[in-house]
Amino acid sequence: MSRVVEASGARAITARAPRPFGLSRLRELVERESVYSWLMLTPPVLFLVAFLGYPFFYGVYLSFFRREVAGPATFVGLTNFVILGNDPIFWQSVGNTVKFTAAATILKATGGLAMALVMNQNFKMKSLTRALLLLPFIVPTVLSTVAWQWIYDPGLGLFNRLLVVSGLAATGVSWLGTPTMAMISVIIVNTWRGLPFFGISILAGLQTIPAELHESATIDGAGTWGRFRYVTLPALLPVIFIVTTFSIILTFFDFQLVYVLTGGGPANGTHLMATYAYSLSMGAGQMGLGSAVALSMVPVLGLLLVLLTIYVRKD
Amino acid sequence: MAQPAESKASRRDFLKLAAGATGVVGAPWIARNAQAKPTTITFARESSYVKNFDEHFQKVLAPAYQKATGIKIEYQIQAAGGGAVPQLVSMVENKSGADLAWVQQEWLYRDALVDVSDIAEAVGKEQGGWYEEIKNLSVDNGKWKSVPNGNIGQLMVYRKDWFEEAGIKRFPETWDEFLEAGIKLKAKGHPFGMSMGHGFADNYSWLYPLLWSYGVTVMDKTGKKVALDASETAKAVDFVRKLYKEACIDDCVGWLDPHNNKAFLTSQISCTNNAYSIMVSAKRDLPDMGKVIDHALNPKGPTGQRYHSLVPVTHGVFAYGPDPQAAKDFLRWMMDPKQYRPWIASGDMYFAPYLHAFDKVPEWDIEPRVKPFQKVLETGKLTSWPAPANRAHGAVINRWVVIDMFSKACTGASTKSVIAEAVSQLKQIYGIA
């Protein structure tokens, strides 16, 4: 409906039944960009405030208190953070989180790039393969992790059966038995789960690269590596940067996978900051201390978000 | 949660209905319910590993209570295996969810539970009295905050056939003999699988008794002094490291509670510490294995003492509920021998009552291999023992302080460093300078 018709219609109504607040004025008000945008923004903002903002600020509040389940809160200032500073398990969980995030992200980024390059080729049943490759990302983490528990089983697990049956090893590997192997194992599962996210996002980026660029590079004498190095990779960098940043955030916060697979063990070898925060708050009932661990993750993630924002703005 | 009644039955109508119900006539809770308002009571309980036990509640007890009182019991089954505690914590924090529950790790939220001393004392009186140790959990500042329901016994579960093949005719009496047997069995391809990961039962159930049998406890009786910092602890840690290296399957250092069941049932291990659920599964799904599984008491330590760890099931009523008294009435009804004894029997004594009246009941004879689980109560201690089972103790359990002391030693750390780390954590948790 054009503005003119709208306005005349509104006038006609006003003429028939004069109202104290004209409908046309209301419509005009709503159509103002500043008002309209806020009207549209309000529901999601309220949603975010209720389900993210409130828990976050409540967590910040709790981290300054000694507060146990169903107990009163006592203000302790920065004591919780001081306790954490002297807590070797906290520092172990920080180290584990950094190792876990770095290794899984590097594997996912390189693997995802390779996956996208393959998926960008023409071959039979390409669409079906693409759909199947998304599966790890779609299946609920808890379910797939239970399946991984079986895969890692020392005696009957898929990996060890393959190793023994193929004669590659006399006895299987203790996948979740030692801190180092358990960490490698959880990194493998995280990579498996996160790979399609990288693969599909990078594939989308690949498909936006005009074929002419490749053609002219070929004419200029660039080989396969040359085209990848000087055409494909520079064009993909923005996508890779954004996907990697998102992935770092998601991996840094990962909880379900480790909780189900190892519970943070053995000997705290796979305790991440998220699982440690959970076991302190929900298991040990030390709400304040647990919140302090969770809050300790915020600066790293905040820094990443700032980097991401700067990058997006620059573009 | 308890819901207000939609229609108000008169006291006379209600008493008529109650009089018609068999088995509960004249009980004091009936009279109370004549004035009660709720139409439903929500009872949260972790899913038991014994199907019949849950079914008996749902098919017999809940309908019987509804028939007798008009109150519907909503049986909210929580996931087993450590998941129930966070759910309970959330309920307590949000003051919603259930009227009464199997209050696992109740030390975390005792303040949110009502005093049930009247019920516990009456039940104790009518059923031979309570085992002393359970009072250290359920009684807080002289008041019962929960009514004990039963103990999930944890014992050594082993393959009798493999032990005999290795020339071991009877289950080892001491931890040293246990190690010796383990070395022999591992050499024959049947290692032990002693859980040491971040679980909540199968790790505590042998590591704590082992520590105690070396003459050490985690805290002293007052709970104000760390007792772990002792030379016997080092001996216990060295022993566990040796046992792990020479007699166990590598993976067990990271095992959660379901892992040893799985490893045992798939013939990967010859011995572990568990409830009798392994035998139940084997008898059902692997009859041949079912015949050769047996249970044994934990071995004795250098002190000559034998210990077991209690895994208590207790029921508590939340104070914030709309009608805690209605939930208490239901709890009292449930613990009446008329209801309680058939319920416990339906679970084949998987939940062993902490009441002396059950010490010699014929229900224990259903299966000779179940009988040793009754003995657990005689030497069983809470993991807090001898200190009070309080919040700080909860933190020690949920941060796996003692478990990790052992598992770190098994994965390469020195005895001195693991003990020092555990002691420092204990001091931080208990607020000891």
Side-chain angles (χ1 to χ4, degrees):
Chain A
M1 194 187 275
S2 74
R3 269 178 191 279
V4 181
V5 177
E6 209 177 284
S8 64
R11 260 200 303 278
I13 293 165
T14 318
R16 271 199 303 274
R19 294 176 184 189
F21 301 105
L23 208 66
S24 62
R25 280 195 61 189
L26 182 69
R27 199 167 278 176
E28 217 171 273
L29 191 72
V30 168
E31 280 182 1
R32 261 189 229 160
E33 202 174 319
S34 56
V35 178
Y36 184 76
S37 54
W38 272 110
L39 267 180
M40 291 294 105
L41 268 176
T42 308
V45 166
L46 283 179
F47 185 85
L48 288 175
V49 166
F51 294 105
L52 281 175
Y54 172 70
F56 174 74
F57 287 109
Y58 186 55
V60 174
Y61 163 85
L62 277 182
S63 66
F64 296 109
F65 285 81
R66 184 184 168 90
R67 159 85 162 77
E68 277 140 351
V69 184
T74 321
F75 182 75
V76 291
L78 292 171
T79 308
N80 286 329
F81 294 94
V82 175
I83 291 173
L84 288 183
N86 297 317
D87 177 3
I89 300 181
F90 171 71
W91 288 112
Q92 193 180 354
S93 74
V94 172
N96 287 344
T97 310
V98 171
K99 270 186 256 171
F100 176 74
T101 309
T105 308
I106 291 169
L107 286 174
K108 280 186 280 190
T110 46
L113 182 61
M115 185 175 163
L117 289 171
V118 173
M119 286 298 109
N120 202 31
Q121 308 301 313
N122 275 322
F123 57 90
K124 269 186 190 172
M125 302 208 288
K126 188 171 77 171
S127 306
L128 183 71
T129 317
R130 279 184 187 176
L132 285 178
L133 282 172
L134 266 179
L135 270 181
F137 198 57
I138 297 164
V139 178
T141 306
V142 173
L143 276 186
S144 57
T145 311
V146 170
W148 275 97
Q149 259 180 358
W150 168 72
I151 293 172
Y152 283 141
D153 190 273
L156 299 172
L158 180 72
F159 284 171
N160 280 359
R161 290 296 289 170
L162 283 176
L163 284 173
V164 174
V165 171
S166 65
L168 285 171
T171 54
V173 178
S174 174
W175 294 98
L176 301 170
T178 62
T180 313
M181 274 315 294
M183 178 53 92
I184 293 171
S185 302
V186 292
I187 289 170
I188 291 173
V189 183
N190 183 282
T191 307
W192 169 84
R193 194 192 53 189
L195 209 58
F197 174 61
F198 273 86
I200 296 296
S201 308
I202 296 173
L203 179 64
L206 268 179
Q207 289 175 342
T208 61
I209 303 173
E212 296 81 35
L213 286 180
H214 281 283
E215 280 164 19
S216 46
T218 313
I219 293 163
D220 288 344
T224 314
W225 170 249
R227 288 202 302 278
F228 174 74
R229 171 72 184 81
Y230 296 104
V231 179
T232 313
L233 203 57
L236 282 181
L237 271 182
V239 178
I240 295 176
F241 179 82
I242 289 176
V243 175
T244 307
T245 316
F246 273 128
S247 173
I248 292 174
I249 293 169
L250 293 174
T251 316
F252 203 83
F253 268 128
D254 204 349
F255 166 78
Q256 299 176 65
L257 192 163
V258 171
Y259 183 72
V260 176
L261 211 55
T262 65
N268 295 319
T270 57
H271 235 338
L272 303 182
M273 289 168 87
T275 51
Y276 193 45
Y278 179 84
S279 76
L280 284 177
S281 311
M282 303 306 281
Q286 296 173 303
M287 296 291 177
L289 205 57
S291 301
V293 175
L295 200 65
S296 309
M297 293 194 269
V298 172
V300 181
L301 296 171
L303 190 71
L304 281 170
L305 283 178
V306 169
L307 279 177
L308 190 67
T309 315
I310 292 171
Y311 187 82
V312 171
R313 287 229 169 131
K314 198 177 78 182
D315 253 25
Chain B
M1 299 298 284
Q3 301 291 322
E6 282 164 17
S7 62
K8 287 180 184 170
S10 73
R11 187 185 169 89
R12 191 176 294 274
D13 289 343
F14 182 82
L15 284 176
K16 266 191 219 161
L17 175 74
T22 52
V24 287
V25 185
W29 53 90
I30 295 297
R32 225 295 301 180
N33 269 313
Q35 303 148 352
K37 293 282 187 279
T39 53
T40 60
I41 288 173
T42 306
F43 178 31
R45 209 173 186 286
E46 185 182 292
S47 164
S48 85
Y49 286 95
V50 190
K51 208 175 145 208
N52 289 349
F53 187 80
D54 287 328
E55 277 185 2
H56 182 87
F57 185 87
Q58 285 163 303
K59 291 182 182 163
V60 180
L61 293 184
Y65 195 70
Q66 189 167 10
K67 199 174 166 195
T69 63
I71 299 172
K72 191 177 172 216
I73 305 297
E74 295 277 1
Y75 193 44
Q76 195 183 85
I77 299 184
Q78 298 169 304
V85 174
Q87 281 185 50
L88 290 164
V89 166
S90 302
M91 278 182 194
V92 171
E93 278 292 292
N94 296 311
K95 295 188 169 36
S96 67
D99 298 288
L100 75 161
W102 164 354
V103 283
Q104 295 188 50
Q105 303 204 13
E106 61 199 70
W107 48 70
L108 292 174
Y109 46 84
R110 273 201 192 105
D111 301 345
L113 300 173
V114 300
D115 180 0
V116 286
S117 302
D118 49 344
I119 301 176
E121 277 159 16
V123 169
K125 216 172 190 179
E126 75 191 7
Q127 298 181 58
W130 295 103
Y131 273 84
E132 275 308 307
E133 182 63 9
I134 196 62
K135 292 182 187 167
N136 294 327
L137 174 69
S138 288
V139 182
D140 183 43
N141 284 329
K143 287 179 186 162
W144 288 77
K145 285 302 191 96
S146 65
V147 179
N149 186 261
N151 179 60
I152 304 175
Q154 296 270 139
L155 285 181
M156 292 293 178
V157 187
Y158 70 105
R159 285 282 297 260
K160 218 176 166 179
D161 54 339
W162 285 344
F163 270 63
E164 281 168 6
E165 272 170 39
I168 305 151
K169 300 285 176 224
R170 63 171 176 83
F171 194 83
E173 268 292 292
T174 65
W175 286 110
D176 287 334
E177 283 175 32
F178 184 72
L179 168 67
E180 222 173 280
I183 294 170
K184 280 186 194 163
L185 278 147
K186 192 175 181 179
K188 285 186 170 288
H190 306 308
F192 288 177
M194 308 304 293
S195 304
M196 281 185 261
H198 283 183
F200 289 98
D202 305 342
N203 42 2
Y204 290 105
S205 62
W206 72 280
L207 284 169
Y208 272 68
L210 180 136
L211 189 66
W212 298 331
S213 72
Y214 269 76
V216 202
T217 58
V218 179
M219 300 296 292
D220 76 346
K221 204 171 173 357
T222 62
K224 288 178 180 151
K225 193 169 170 279
V226 176
L228 193 69
D229 200 2
S231 59
E232 289 83 359
T233 309
K235 286 179 195 155
V237 169
D238 289 339
F239 173 81
V240 170
R241 187 193 288 114
K242 200 168 157 60
L243 179 74
Y244 171 69
K245 294 228 158 101
E246 296 180 17
C248 289
I249 190 169
D250 288 354
D251 269 47
C252 68
V253 75
W255 276 353
L256 307 181
D257 291 337
H259 292 147
N260 58 342
N261 294 51
K262 208 164 64 176
F264 196 103
L265 292 167
T266 50
S267 299
Q268 295 176 53
I269 53 170
S270 56
C271 180
T272 188
N273 197 284
N274 205 68
Y276 78 63
S277 49
I278 290 181
M279 186 189 70
V280 172
S281 306
K283 276 167 76 174
R284 189 184 57 223
D285 303 323
L286 306 158
D288 287 343
M289 189 193 286
K291 288 177 202 150
V292 292
I293 292 178
D294 210 347
H295 300 116
L297 300 177
N298 286 341
K300 290 175 184 166
T303 56
Q305 295 292 312
R306 189 198 304 281
Y307 290 97
H308 292 93
S309 151
L310 296 180
V311 181
V313 177
T314 60
H315 292 148
V317 173
F318 295 114
Y320 53 72
D323 194 344
Q325 187 56 47
K328 274 184 74 173
D329 291 343
F330 168 63
L331 182 57
R332 176 67 187 98
W333 179 85
M334 203 161 59
M335 290 304 291
D336 185 290
K338 285 193 219 77
Q339 282 70 243
Y340 183 51
R341 196 167 160 181
W343 189 28
I344 289 296
S346 75
D348 292 344
M349 310 307 275
Y350 185 76
F351 301 98
Y354 292 104
L355 289 155
H356 286 290
F358 284 82
D359 286 354
K360 290 190 174 70
V361 290
E363 283 91 327
W364 280 113
D365 300 324
I366 44 155
E367 153 71 88
R369 292 177 289 176
V370 164
K371 231 174 169 176
F373 286 89
Q374 199 280 323
K375 298 277 174 223
V376 171
L377 297 176
E378 289 171 15
T379 49
K381 302 284 179 202
L382 297 166
T383 42
S384 53
W385 180 75
N390 53 17
R391 283 181 194 275
H393 167 62
V396 177
I397 292 294
N398 287 284
R399 290 168 70 170
W400 298 281
V401 175
V402 177
I403 302 302
D404 281 343
M405 175 180 80
F406 287 110
S407 64
K408 279 177 192 162
C410 291
T411 51
S414 73
T415 305
K416 209 175 156 188
S417 74
V418 294
I419 297 173
E421 205 171 298
V423 169
S424 125
Q425 281 187 72
L426 289 168
K427 284 184 177 166
Q428 182 263 308
I429 290 169
Y430 279 89
I432 300 165

